[in-house]
Amino acid sequence: MEKSGSVDSVESLCSKGRAIEKVLQCKCECRTWIKSQFLCIDLMFFCVQVYKDTSKGELPLLPEELVQDSAKDVTYICPFIGPVRGSLTVTNYRLFFRCTDREPVFGLDLPLGVLSRVEKIGAATSRGDVSYGLACKDMRNLRFVHKEPEDSLKKSVFEVLMKFAFPVSNNMSLFAFEYKQVFPENGWRVYDPLAEYKRQGLPKESWRISKVNDRYELCDSYPAALVVPVTITDEELRRVSSFRAKGRIPVLSWIHPESQAAVVRASQPMVGQNGRRCKEDEKLLQAIMDANAQSHKMFIFDARPSVNAAANKMKGGGYESEDAYQNAELVFLDIHNIHVMRESLRKLKEVVYPNIEDSHWLSNLESTHWLEHIKLILAGSLRIADKVESGKTSVVVHCSDGWDRTPQLTSLALIMLDSHYRTIRGFQILLEKEWLSFGHRFQQRVGHGDKNHTDADRSPIFLQFIDCVWQMTRQFPAAFEFNEYFLLTILDHLYSCLFGTFLCNSEQQRLKEEVPKHTVSLWSFVNSQLEEFVNPLYVHYASHVLFPTVGIRHLQLWVTYYIRWNPRMRPQEPVHQRYKELLAKRAELQKRVEELQREAANRTASSTSERAGSPTRSITPVQTFV
Amino acid sequence: MLSLGSGGAKSTKPSFVSYVTPEEIKSEKDPPKKEKLPDLLPGEVEFCSANPILKYTQDDLSQRGVFGTLFCTNFRVTFISDETPQEKKAKTFKNKLYGENDIPLVCVDHIYGVYDEKRKLITGGLVKNKYPSKMIIHCKDLRVFQFCLRFTKEEDAKKIFQGIAHHCLEEKSLKCVFAFSYMGTPSPGTDLSFCREMQRKQETIMFDSPEDWTQEMKRTKANCRLVIENKNFELSQRLPKYFVIPLAIGDLFSYQGKGLPIWCWSHYSGCALFKASFPPVTQEDGDFQKHLETMINAVAHNYLYSVKTEDLSESLPNIQDIQQSYNKFKQFFLIENSTDFWLSDVKWFSSLESSGWLDIIRQCLQKAVEVVECLEKDNTNVLITEEEGTDLCYVISSLAQIMLDPYYRTLMGFQSLVQKEWVAGCHAFLDRCNHLHQKDKECHSPVFLLFLECVWQLVQQHSPAFQFSETYLTVLSDSVHVPIFSTFLFNSAHHRESVMKAESPLAQSGPLSCPTVWDWSVQFDSKAQNFFYNPLYSEKVKHEKAVRKPHKPKHQRQLSLPSTAFKTPLKKGFFKDETDSLKKMLRVKRLSRWMGSPDSPAATTREFYESWQHRPVDYHGLLLPCLDGPAVRVWMQRYLRWIPEMYILGGGSVAMTTKLMELLSQVQDLKRVLEQRDTSQAAKIDHHPYLQHRLLSFGSSGRLSSSFPFAYTRNRSFKPIIPTGLMQSLMVTDSLASQEDEASSVASFV
């Protein structure tokens, strides 16, 4: 069996060391570079890294990655193993720290994009030591201590770091625009809206793809292609857009292949205190209902708690009144806003990093409400999926602006309803469609390259969604084509700014910035080495709808994400590792059987008298996936 | 009377849910006349019955249910539905002794009566004339049954209620336990699987003969002395029939064996783990103090003159604490309806924490790791003590052995371990499990369950290291409450022997022989027993026969960490040449209790864990649990298997296992093809460890629920379980909640 250098995320450290070594040896090959980079990220996981080639001090740089500054004698205060002395290097993409005088060799390698804050802690001590704290978006804080350069004209390495960590604030471009790796796959071609709606089997007699937003004039945060009922004209859509917050009109997101019940997304109606109405909007919703012959009812899911929805009326927003929208039932899903979520994650970080208080772990976890929010989001999605699947009714989903809670709910409901979105490529399409094209404000929510870490627009909405997906993969271990490493990779590159995928706030902005032209898509990278991300347990059941159990009892904290920096929480060899071994074993045996059969066939051909006890067993039942 | 063979095939189970309210039914039709009888086990006698009784289906608050007859026998309370099962579903995992509507009498935990909408706990005294309209039974295996008594005749209802309450709640004598009636052990007949079962059973070492102990000492290279002087319990009735002590102990008979250090296990280095019962330190006179010193010295003599002692009654919660904590803990799983479920869901984590059960589990594992550290890293002898010496000592010593010795992680090894430490070692199962419903609350405690819980934590953290599955542990924990097995019925070896002997003349067929729990064929057919095996167990690669070395491979050798960080054990006998004074000096130094060290034990064991963790995984070497908060979990399968709200249709670990099984069988098929080839061609294939696995066959029912193989989802249309009461669930009073999503939009709208 070939031992490939592409190490699975959880292979034992031993072989990991070997793999790194191997990767370090063949630097010339670009692809391996990328791998090494991922291995490094991966390795941070274990807090222990093995660099063999330390004497030369060479760093595995990416194409276009340039060393900006480095400093020796920097101490990293590791909360788990104590102070570590080593050298620090800052490039235009990442930070390297390595310490060679301890066994095993210790290293840190993180993209600067994960930094949310870099600051000097306290003043210089008498010995001239300065301390720097680095707060990261991926649930850890790093602390370094180093000597202030004696030459006061020379900038400290941390000042350089600050410049490159926040390029947007310093009027520089993100590294994604410089990174010019070429992959065999082009991830920018993964999503084609027309092909996707065709796959869904969009019935032409009731729905049409409107070009009204072709130039993003109707709504600048929506995609160019919008699916609306045939009975509604573009002119009517324009009028609806003035009634919906940010012009985000109700448009189709997904349609059930059999019942034709539709999942429609929108933003809140601008009802206001006076109960404004818009007859085109009412007509549009009626048309959506009519497009589904199976039901004469419709559900409007407002993701917010009813109190908040009502409070929005003060600001001109609000929710659909049942007088104006007959046959529509309004349901509030009680999901809180971005600020509550941000606060919840902040609390969670406090609870899990760096140290966990064992005896109060559970109540501490509960006090963060993080899993409760996850439960509410999953429960809301479940109700949506249930109405569509079991009730055969169409649903409209919105929150305030329809770009945070709404994509969480629609995309989770879609994952439950449509097995296509549980494949690797299908999931990519889902993200491209529900999140990127429909304008989840990634730039604002993540704050790429922006030093303003207190920005109230930041919120872990997308992380929360990935967490919900992870919860589902836990409950249905064989229903998803991708593995945990895939989700981790997405989250790591949400912050890394290596790929263009999660840059900007909307499709329009991405086109304006020519993101697809100047950057590499994350999917280029992923799809070029799919085997890394495949869940070996995957069984493709095309028609299965997944209804997860949303009780807190079945939800778990995603330890391998939130607590991955804690070396003690390192996962043991998971089941799928052994499963992979089994798959390899099967492939090996299969090959062997084939060989023998060929041999036997040859022999019987040469001498018909010799009759080996060849098995009559057919080997056909052995196929890769049943 | 029916033989066990057909008696086991109970097929009646309610597969029909009545969608009319009981009131409607009452007015519509007469109670059905035909009464179905339960299939009685050999020796089972019916006490009373009542019909019609409505058994509520647990799903929701609506009063839906199934009508049927409720019986009370000397073995169980059983409900038999009036409905003929619409379709007979072959259950792959069926207990032959009791079905899903049977509650063995000793398995009843609490009975509640609902009188005029008020729920009251029924105690023995409360059973007078009044009978409740609704009877709720909480079982020790966490099932909840609700029966409505309103539709049956008053005297029948009274009779059945009083009968059940009497037989389940009143204190009774050991003789009344069903095991003593269940004498007519069924003849196995020509059951082919039986022979295999017998073989399998025989692999479990019972530790009831000197040979078993000699064998075990040989296996672990122990240098100790087997005591056979207690063969007829002359020494002490509280001590095992046979046991092993340090060589250096001469005088056996002082203090009735109190304080005798009893050998548990020897490390390959020579140091060993001992346990002893000690009276509380305060009460002892000087004489006893001296005695203790002799004992500790004797232990120290075992290897390198070093010993660490630990009084578990000081450092771990006592058995009453354990009982209290478990009582709190189990309440979270005895759920009667959906509303309760969703209400308790909100405070789930803090409720769990407040019970303290997970913390007790963590403490026990922590203590076991400390013991392991002493043996493995410091190579000192360890003596753990406790007042009785038969409760927490066993938890800790068994856990330490499982962590150190891969043999105990096999199914047979594990059973032998339970036999060695718990059964032969005289754990007071009868008192601790409270099979006789004694009022004395002091001695009840789920100590054995606590041990299984700890093992489960290890299993879920390092599943490939264990040959047995989580299902095995769950079934074992249930079997404690099946009053048929001699394993869990007695307080000590002496107790077992004396009762069995006394009973035998009555049975007139030689000495009484209850089956042991290890005879799994009593409960499950061989197909179901396959669920006991972990398909992912990484079996040890066996050496080719040709390359086998003349001497047997020592199991312990693999235990040694391939490390340099751990000091190599000093040569044995190094101290022999030293002077006495040196010995004394060393002794004083090393006799220190490790609890007294300034570093908190958690910190040192943490270090020990981390250094272990940095090594490549060796499933046949030392195994340590991660004890950090998130790593200690709730045993979902055991505790949540009966709660319909928890079922994941098409999901759960069973989805994974199914897929694995599929693959395993494919690999095996291929292997077979190749082996057939091999007979004609000399192609060499290495033996892969996976191939000795047994295959599970799942019904082809397509989508199984996560609670498989315990509860089956029936009648549950394919609908999601949508939580109720979300509104009150999360009250974020924060000002953040009312903030607008987009910070900028606040300005634009205000």
Side-chain angles (χ1 to χ4, degrees), chain A residues 190-201 209:
Chain A
V190 160
Y191 174 56
D192 170 8
L194 301 185
E196 168 58 18
Y197 289 119
K198 200 175 160 205
R199 183 196 68 83
Q200 291 182 11
I209 297 173

Side-chain angles (χ1 to χ4, degrees), chain A residues 504-515:
Chain A
C504 303
N505 286 324
S506 64
E507 189 176 289
Q508 185 213 23
Q509 278 186 19
R510 269 184 287 276
L511 280 185
K512 208 177 117 212
E513 303 274 329
E514 297 183 297
V515 171

Side-chain angles (χ1 to χ4, degrees), chain A residues 48 246 270 308 312 315 334 336-340 343 356 358-363 366 369 371-373 375-376 379 382-383 386 400-401 403-405 441 444 456-457 475-477 537-539 544-547 549-554 556 559 563 567-570 572-573 575 578-579 581-583 585-586 589-590 592-593 596-597 599-600 603 615 617 619 625-626, chain B residues 332 335 341-342 344-350 352-353 358-359 362 461-462 464 536-538 606 609-610 613-614 617 619 626-631 633 636 640 645-652 656 659-660 662-664 666-667 669-670 672-674 676-677 681 683 686 688 690 703 718-723 726-727 729-730 732 736-743 749:
Chain A
V48 175
K246 310 282 193 296
M270 301 308 284
N308 297 35
N312 260 289
K315 299 163 195 158
D334 294 320
H336 282 280
N337 65 26
I338 60 165
H339 311 291
V340 175
E343 182 61 14
I356 301 164
D358 289 346
S359 52
H360 294 114
W361 159 246
L362 291 172
S363 55
E366 188 174 278
H369 296 300
L371 286 176
E372 253 171 284
H373 294 308
K375 169 182 163 177
L376 284 167
L382 186 66
R383 293 173 77 164
D386 177 46
S400 294
D401 292 317
W403 54 41
D404 292 313
R405 287 166 272 196
R441 303 176 79 77
Q444 273 193 357
D457 276 330
Q475 295 193 14
F476 302 96
L537 297 165
Y538 177 59
V539 187
H544 278 189
V545 174
L546 303 186
F547 288 144
T549 302
V550 301
I552 287 267
R553 292 162 169 89
H554 253 322
Q556 279 180 28
V559 169
I563 323 186
R568 273 189 310 282
M569 294 311 294
R570 186 187 92 189
Q572 293 297 319
E573 180 193 65
V575 164
R578 297 188 59 71
Y579 191 90
E581 284 169 28
L582 265 180
L583 281 178
K585 186 77 195 166
R586 183 178 64 177
L589 286 167
Q590 226 161 0
R592 178 117 204 110
V593 167
L596 286 167
Q597 262 170 347
E599 233 173 84
R603 207 164 333 144
R617 278 192 75 87
I619 318 165
F625 288 115
V626 192
Chain B
F332 308 132
I335 287 165
F341 178 86
W342 292 111
S344 56
D345 203 50
V346 183
K347 287 277 151 217
W348 170 244
F349 288 120
S350 48
L352 276 187
E353 188 178 290
L358 292 181
D359 211 42
R362 181 182 294 116
Q461 286 186 21
H462 311 282
L536 286 174
Y537 177 53
S538 87
R606 191 165 271 190
Y609 176 76
E610 276 167 17
Q613 198 194 20
H614 283 317
V617 205
Y619 289 119
C626 176
L627 297 174
D628 287 61
R633 300 222 161 114
M636 300 280 268
L640 298 169
E645 282 80 5
M646 296 301 297
Y647 297 167
I648 311 170
L649 192 63
M656 192 158 61
K659 188 79 183 85
L660 274 171
E662 209 174 88
L663 186 67
L664 269 174
Q666 286 168 5
V667 171
D669 281 352
L670 281 170
R672 211 170 304 131
V673 172
L674 277 182
Q676 279 170 356
R677 291 283 188 178
Q681 296 163 31
D686 61 319
H688 205 264
Y690 301 108
R703 305 183 79 179
F718 181 51
K719 285 210 81 173
I721 304 136
I722 291 173
L726 281 179
M727 300 300 270
S729 69
L730 189 56
V732 179
L736 289 173
S738 51
Q739 236 177 75
E740 190 49 41
D741 261 7
E742 196 157 5
F749 281 113

Side-chain angles (χ1 to χ4, degrees), chain B residues 703-719:
Chain B
R703 305 183 79 179
L704 297 160
S705 136
S706 58
S707 60
F708 183 84
F710 290 97
Y712 279 70
T713 35
R714 2 157 250 278
N715 290 321
R716 181 169 278 283
S717 52
F718 181 51
K719 285 210 81 173

Side-chain angles (χ1 to χ4, degrees), chain A residues 67-132:
Chain A
V67 173
Q68 304 296 329
D69 197 4
S70 64
K72 288 198 166 59
D73 271 358
V74 177
T75 308
Y76 166 57
I77 317 262
C78 177
F80 306 108
I81 57 173
V84 184
R85 258 168 97 90
S87 61
L88 184 79
T89 307
V90 175
T91 74
N92 50 350
Y93 169 60
R94 72 186 124 177
L95 172 156
F96 278 110
F97 174 82
R98 59 166 73 159
C99 159
T100 50
D101 55 2
R102 58 181 286 145
E103 196 57 50
V105 175
F106 178 87
L108 277 176
D109 173 356
L110 65 154
L112 298 179
V114 308
L115 299 177
S116 73
R117 181 167 33 150
V118 177
E119 59 183 16
K120 221 179 203 175
I121 304 170
T125 63
S126 53
R127 285 175 299 162
D129 286 348
V130 220
S131 174
Y132 285 91

